[in-house]
Amino acid sequence: MSVSTDVRTRRSLLAGTVGNFVEWYEFGAYGFFATVIAANFFSSTATSDAESLIKTYASFALAFFFRPIGAAIFGRVGDRIGRRPTLILVLLLMTLSTTLIGLLPTYASVGAAAPWLLTLVRALQGLSAGGEFGGAVSIMTEFAPRTKRGLYGAWQSFTVALGLLAGAGLAAILATTLSKEALSDWGWRVPFLVALPLGLVALWLRLKLDETPSFARVQEEPRPAPAGAVAKAIALGIGRLMGWSAAGYTFLVVMPSYLQATLNATFQQALVATVLANTGFAVSILPAGWLSDRIGRRPVMVAGAALVVVLAFPLMNVLQDKESGNAAKGIAVFVAGLVVGLMAGPGPAMLAEMFPTRARYTGLGLAYSLSNAVFSGSAGLIITELIKRTKNVDIPAWYVVVTCAVSVIALLTLRGDDYRRELRD
């Protein structure tokens, strides 16, 4: 590998991951501050805390349902004019919408207009997030050596963990250093305003990015990818990802509100649990991506989904047991994050290998965003509403067991040698 190619590859990793970091940092911050946001944007004298939280998660879910729209729009642009200009546009939209959340007036200031303004900005975030994944993974895997696609793609998932940890860490610092009143009044705005300087750094890196060799090659002989084959691959990709989507958001983002609203944990305790879960997630992602380059995507991802099915109820029982010590509960959430990382590490490369270069940005972006819209974005809403209606505190475990069981079946259809093949044009 020449020096210039090596430099371009490193730039692709940095430029691809930094935007992804900003995106998931914000989504994590929104999830971690869900109860505070509920009180500021969705509360009135006639609204209960549970109803406000459900409305907050509805806004959360709405942003996810705009992701497929963003994936379709920006994916089409990215497959036609290039990954680099599209990712720059996506980043600008993401940074602007995230910063705006930190500037929005609350229900106390503008009344019923507040939740509508928040929902509008969340929709813009959803559009930008939908365009981010497909481009970032395309860039990383198209620049990657064939024998390292799993590891390179795993950096996308690793920056998800870093972004969520950064959001949780900043939330923990604010919750520790500020009074409850200050946190509710203005402290919750800080994580969203921090997105502005982060976005400017990401923009600088993306402006230095080169177009991928794969995209440049197909531009010499442009022709459309078979629409039927792409649609079939998208549907199969959703099945393979749904367990990762559901378990990832349940264990890594929804958990703080579940612990507070259902198990009566304090805000600080919930954040510590979330940091531990995301640490477990981060620890396993890169090794899982590396291992998938050695033995294949299928065995690593099937192992992760199957372990969630086996361990979900025991881990949830530890959290619910009042006799369990803090150490046992900490280990439980750490392990929960660890097994999700087994799916998240090889996942981006697995998706990239399912689509030809001519439709890769659109195809893998739609598969990922549709899976996340249904099984991640709706996780908080589904879990909170079902617990409210059924009083069954095991709902989170049921949710991840069912979705991961379906993913095991879909993942078993993977060809064992896909990881050894060159990416298709």
Side-chain angles (χ1 to χ4, degrees):
M1 181 181 289
S2 68
V3 174
S4 61
T5 301
D6 189 49
V7 170
R8 292 169 71 199
T9 301
R10 287 199 300 269
R11 284 181 179 174
S12 76
L13 277 177
L14 280 173
T17 55
V18 71
N20 195 61
F21 172 86
V22 174
E23 174 196 338
W24 288 92
Y25 158 81
E26 186 284 327
F27 270 83
Y30 190 93
F32 302 140
F33 279 110
T35 52
V36 179
I37 292 171
N40 274 289
F41 285 89
F42 294 94
S43 275
S44 67
T45 54
T47 306
S48 69
D49 289 344
E51 288 172 330
S52 296
L53 186 58
I54 288 169
K55 289 178 180 178
T56 304
Y57 276 130
S59 174
F60 193 75
L62 181 68
F64 273 87
F65 280 97
F66 272 87
R67 284 186 171 207
I69 300 173
I73 294 171
F74 291 114
R76 185 77 169 167
V77 173
D79 283 329
R80 282 181 174 270
I81 70 169
R83 283 62 166 123
R84 178 183 179 273
T86 310
L87 280 172
I88 290 171
L89 178 60
V90 163
L91 180 65
L92 290 171
L93 180 59
M94 181 194 307
T95 303
L96 173 64
S97 55
T98 300
T99 305
L100 279 175
I101 288 185
L103 301 172
L104 288 177
T106 62
Y107 198 98
S109 301
V110 295
W116 286 107
L117 289 171
L118 178 63
T119 301
L120 174 62
V121 175
R122 294 293 296 169
L124 293 175
Q125 284 183 310
L127 288 173
S128 65
E132 172 66 26
F133 180 85
V137 173
S138 294
I139 286 239
M140 286 185 271
T141 55
E142 288 173 4
F143 268 115
R146 179 183 57 78
T147 57
K148 293 183 179 180
R149 274 200 305 264
L151 179 60
Y152 278 50
W155 278 95
Q156 188 279 338
S157 296
F158 186 61
T159 50
V160 171
L162 292 183
L164 292 173
L165 280 169
L170 184 52
I173 292 170
L174 292 169
T176 303
T177 57
L178 298 178
S179 66
K180 187 176 180 180
E181 292 74 20
L183 189 68
S184 178
D185 184 34
W186 59 268
W188 65 270
R189 297 181 183 273
V190 173
F192 302 103
L193 296 175
V194 168
L196 181 58
L198 289 176
L200 292 175
V201 172
L203 177 63
W204 176 72
L205 288 169
R206 287 198 169 169
L207 289 171
K208 296 167 69 69
L209 186 65
D210 293 325
E211 194 53 80
T212 72
S214 297
F215 180 80
R217 189 166 56 249
V218 300
Q219 287 299 97
E220 296 174 2
E221 193 179 338
R223 65 177 185 272
V230 172
K232 181 180 177 181
I234 290 171
L236 186 56
I238 292 170
R240 291 172 178 173
L241 291 181
M242 62 188 289
W244 168 19
S245 299
Y249 253 72
T250 299
F251 291 143
L252 306 177
V253 177
V254 175
M255 192 60 70
S257 296
Y258 169 78
L259 292 173
Q260 292 174 81
T262 306
L263 303 184
N264 299 315
T266 66
F267 185 63
Q268 287 82 358
Q269 288 171 331
L271 281 173
V272 169
T274 306
V275 169
L276 287 172
N278 279 280
T279 301
F281 181 57
V283 164
S284 64
I285 289 170
L286 294 180
W290 173 85
L291 184 61
S292 77
D293 284 327
R294 301 299 183 276
I295 66 174
R297 321 295 179 216
R298 184 173 64 192
V300 181
M301 295 188 72
V302 167
L307 281 171
V308 172
V309 173
V310 172
L311 296 175
F313 280 100
L315 292 175
M316 197 62 65
N317 289 339
V318 171
L319 295 178
Q320 295 164 355
D321 187 359
K322 294 181 180 179
E323 301 299 320
S324 297
N326 289 333
K329 291 180 179 179
I331 292 171
V333 294
F334 182 86
V335 170
L338 199 74
V339 294
V340 174
L342 295 178
M343 293 181 278
M350 180 273 294
L351 272 182
E353 290 158 0
M354 291 179 66
F355 298 95
T357 299
R358 303 170 198 277
R360 184 167 296 121
Y361 198 137
T362 305
L364 66 87
L366 276 172
Y368 182 79
S369 59
L370 285 167
S371 177
N372 275 273
V374 177
F375 302 106
S376 291
S378 300
L381 183 61
I382 292 170
I383 290 169
T384 306
E385 182 66 25
L386 286 177
I387 290 174
K388 179 186 174 186
R389 289 179 179 273
T390 66
K391 311 301 181 186
N392 183 351
V393 295
D394 287 332
I395 291 296
W398 280 111
Y399 185 63
V400 299
V401 164
V402 171
T403 49
C404 283
V406 174
S407 275
V408 167
I409 297 170
L411 286 164
L412 288 173
T413 65
L414 274 169
R415 291 193 309 184
D417 64 344
D418 278 356
Y419 71 106
R420 294 195 183 103
R421 298 170 179 265
E422 296 290 348
L423 291 175
R424 291 176 292 139
D425 284 344

